[in-house]
């Protein structure tokens, strides 16, 4: 893989070793390191070793290289602490989706209890949709392939 870097990107600087990190895994394609915020203990970021701003910039080869490593790294995080009961895997794309560093990254967030100060909410909006609304959305997405 050819690595492209953005000199102003904090994750590119971490990848190049210009900024220290608590690296837990690294190979030619990805670097996994502890998120400095530690949303929960063990919160790890997996980043491609080439600068891409978000998931929309991935090609099939980059996606295969990065996402094929997620299960292995997730198992290592889970197995690192017997108190970990689950794991959230998140990828935020765009400011409105809470992306704060515009170098694509995947969060692996260990879950210890359902009261471990991390939360997600999926609201049920199904009452706002009828068959036509679902079909319109379905067709709009399908037409993009």
């Amino acid at each position: 893989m050819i690595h492209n870097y953005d000199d102003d990107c904090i994750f590119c600087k971490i990848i190049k070793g210009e900024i220290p990190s608590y690296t837990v895994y690294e190979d030619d394609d990805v670097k996994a390191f502890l998120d400095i915020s530690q949303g929960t203990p063990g919160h790890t970021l997996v980043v491609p070793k080439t600068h891409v701003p978000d998931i929309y910039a991935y090609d099939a080869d980059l996606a295969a290289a990065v996402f094929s490593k997620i299960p292995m790294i997730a198992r290592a995080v889970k197995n690192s602490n017997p108190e970990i009961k689950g794991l959230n895997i998140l990828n935020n794309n765009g400011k409105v989706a809470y992306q704060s560093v515009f170098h694509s990254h995947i969060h692996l967030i260990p879950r210890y209890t359902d009261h471990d100060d991390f939360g997600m909410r999926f609201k049920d909006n199904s009452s706002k949709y009828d068959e036509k609304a679902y079909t319109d959305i379905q067709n709009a997405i399908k037409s993009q392939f």
Side-chain angles (χ1 to χ4, degrees):
M1 173 188 301
I2 297 172
H3 300 299
N4 297 307
Y5 302 109
D6 177 336
D7 291 336
D8 295 323
C9 172
I10 189 168
F11 288 171
C12 288
K13 291 177 182 180
I14 289 171
I15 291 164
K16 293 188 293 182
E18 296 172 5
I19 295 176
S21 66
Y22 296 96
T23 300
V24 300
Y25 176 82
E26 184 169 11
D27 64 22
D28 290 340
D29 304 314
V30 301
K31 184 174 183 97
F33 52 92
L34 297 182
D35 186 306
I36 201 69
S37 72
Q38 287 298 283
T40 65
H43 181 172
T44 298
L45 300 178
V46 180
V47 302
K49 288 180 96 172
T50 191
H51 185 81
V52 289
D54 51 39
I55 195 68
Y56 312 115
Y58 280 62
D59 62 19
D61 291 336
L62 181 61
V66 173
F67 287 97
S68 67
K69 310 294 173 53
I70 298 297
M72 173 188 64
I73 300 167
R75 280 189 298 273
V77 171
K78 178 159 185 345
N79 293 337
S80 73
N81 185 328
E83 298 299 314
I84 296 173
K85 307 297 184 217
L87 184 88
N88 286 99
I89 299 175
L90 302 172
N91 175 241
N92 305 328
N93 296 279
K95 187 175 181 179
V96 70
Y98 307 111
Q99 185 177 6
S100 59
V101 176
F102 292 90
H103 180 123
S104 181
H105 54 286
I106 296 94
H107 294 261
L108 306 180
I109 305 170
R111 300 305 306 276
Y112 296 84
T113 73
D114 52 0
H115 301 293
D116 58 13
D117 202 28
F118 178 82
M120 293 178 56
R121 180 176 62 98
F122 293 95
K123 186 176 178 188
D124 181 357
N125 290 309
S126 60
S127 65
K128 298 178 183 177
Y129 295 86
D130 59 15
E131 184 69 21
K132 182 182 179 329
Y134 282 117
T135 302
D136 287 348
I137 294 169
Q138 174 191 25
N139 290 333
I141 295 170
K142 285 174 70 172
S143 72
Q144 299 305 307
F145 292 102

